[in-house]
Amino acid sequence: MRMETRTGNITTNRMDKAETNKEKQKFERFQNFYRNILVNVAVSIKTLEELTEQTDENVIFSNYCPAFTTAVLKNFWAQSVIKLNECFKGDHSFDKFINYIKANWNKIYTGKWEEITDWNDNTTGREEISFGRTEIFKRIEEVEQILDEEENKQIIEKIKDFRDKAFAHTDDDSPKNVIHLTELRKAFSFAENIFNKLQVMYDRCHTCLEPSNSDDVKNIIHIVDLYNKYKTQIREIDFRERY
């Protein structure tokens, strides 16, 4: 016997007055900092992933502009490491953010919402949503567990090591470990997860911090590849237009 799938549309309405205070304003400054940092990191990592993929197009692109490619790779590696380190070990680290939330949770997470679900069987469901101390501290514990996972801790320490010894300034004592692009991607992913776990209780919004056009470097690579394929015809057209 086949079961009918129940579907519906959800509308969320805010029920409180959304009044601001200094605690919320500082919370928002933290979140805006992470949002700006991680959007830039996402673009840098995606560009590195696109440029280092072993494809014929990338080989051609690198052959046409080796200095540009090398500079982009070095700079985007540095930016990714430095900016991620700001989230984990900097003046606005997640640890400091968590401690701030613990001290001010009742003045930050004051929102109340109503979710209305219009089901396809012509029924309507209503649910009031707010976050109390139990839910808030459970979410904080989840975030702390992410930061305390052994693999994540090792990646964070690698990022700090490379930031201190390779990118922030030249150090005679070079980093002992190798950091891989996949580790930068993982660090971005769990940083984005932490951002959303703490944000969604504030405004009921989940944010994708990687822009939809973060891979647009592919357009440049493809154009160079097309030029390489049709350069004779392009030069002939250019010659005729000039003379």
Side-chain angles (χ1 to χ4, degrees), residues 56-229:
D56 292 339
E57 279 193 342
N58 277 346
V59 171
I60 292 167
F61 180 78
S62 181
N63 287 338
Y64 269 96
C65 45
F68 172 80
T69 304
T70 301
V72 167
L73 293 175
K74 287 183 177 180
N75 278 285
F76 279 23
W77 264 98
Q79 288 300 309
S80 298
V81 167
I82 291 170
K83 291 183 183 299
L84 282 171
N85 186 72
E86 283 297 308
C87 294
F88 299 120
K89 297 291 185 179
D91 293 335
H92 297 81
S93 69
F94 284 129
D95 286 338
K96 293 179 181 178
F97 187 36
I98 291 168
N99 289 335
Y100 176 74
I101 292 173
K102 286 180 178 179
N104 299 280
W105 63 272
N106 57 330
K107 297 178 181 178
I108 296 171
Y109 296 117
T110 62
K112 294 180 181 180
W113 298 267
E114 181 184 46
E115 280 192 352
I116 303 171
T117 306
D118 294 316
W119 296 105
N120 62 343
D121 58 5
N122 295 321
T123 61
T124 300
R126 295 177 182 271
E127 181 183 6
E128 290 188 8
I129 298 172
S130 61
F131 296 95
R133 188 184 191 283
T134 301
E135 296 93 339
I136 292 166
F137 276 78
K138 182 180 179 181
R139 188 65 60 87
I140 290 173
E141 184 179 349
E142 292 172 2
V143 167
E144 291 176 328
Q145 287 174 351
I146 292 172
L147 292 170
D148 285 339
E149 285 182 20
E150 189 58 36
E151 184 181 359
N152 293 347
K153 286 170 66 175
Q154 290 177 4
I155 293 173
I156 290 170
E157 287 304 317
K158 278 187 180 183
I159 288 171
K160 185 179 186 305
D161 195 33
F162 270 79
R163 183 265 179 198
D164 291 345
K165 296 178 181 178
F167 296 128
H169 52 79
T170 304
D171 197 323
D172 293 335
D173 182 19
S174 60
K176 296 181 176 64
N177 298 314
V178 175
I179 188 166
H180 300 283
L181 186 53
T182 53
E183 293 175 311
L184 291 184
R185 168 58 71 181
K186 182 175 175 60
F188 166 79
S189 295
F190 65 73
E192 182 184 48
N193 189 16
I194 290 169
F195 173 92
N196 278 301
K197 279 183 176 294
L198 299 174
Q199 177 74 22
V200 74
M201 296 186 294
Y202 184 71
D203 59 10
R204 297 291 292 162
C205 291
H206 186 281
T207 306
C208 176
L209 296 175
E210 180 165 343
S212 59
N213 62 345
S214 62
D215 64 350
D216 61 6
V217 68
K218 288 196 295 188
N219 297 330
I220 302 173
I221 295 170
H222 185 58
I223 290 169
V224 173
D225 183 61
L226 287 176
Y227 173 79
N228 185 66
K229 289 178 180 177

Side-chain angles (χ1 to χ4, degrees), residues 21-36:
N21 55 41
K22 63 180 182 180
E23 290 80 13
K24 289 181 181 180
Q25 290 170 355
K26 185 171 180 177
F27 175 91
E28 290 173 359
R29 288 197 295 272
F30 266 108
Q31 287 295 77
N32 287 336
F33 173 82
Y34 298 132
R35 184 183 293 106
N36 294 334

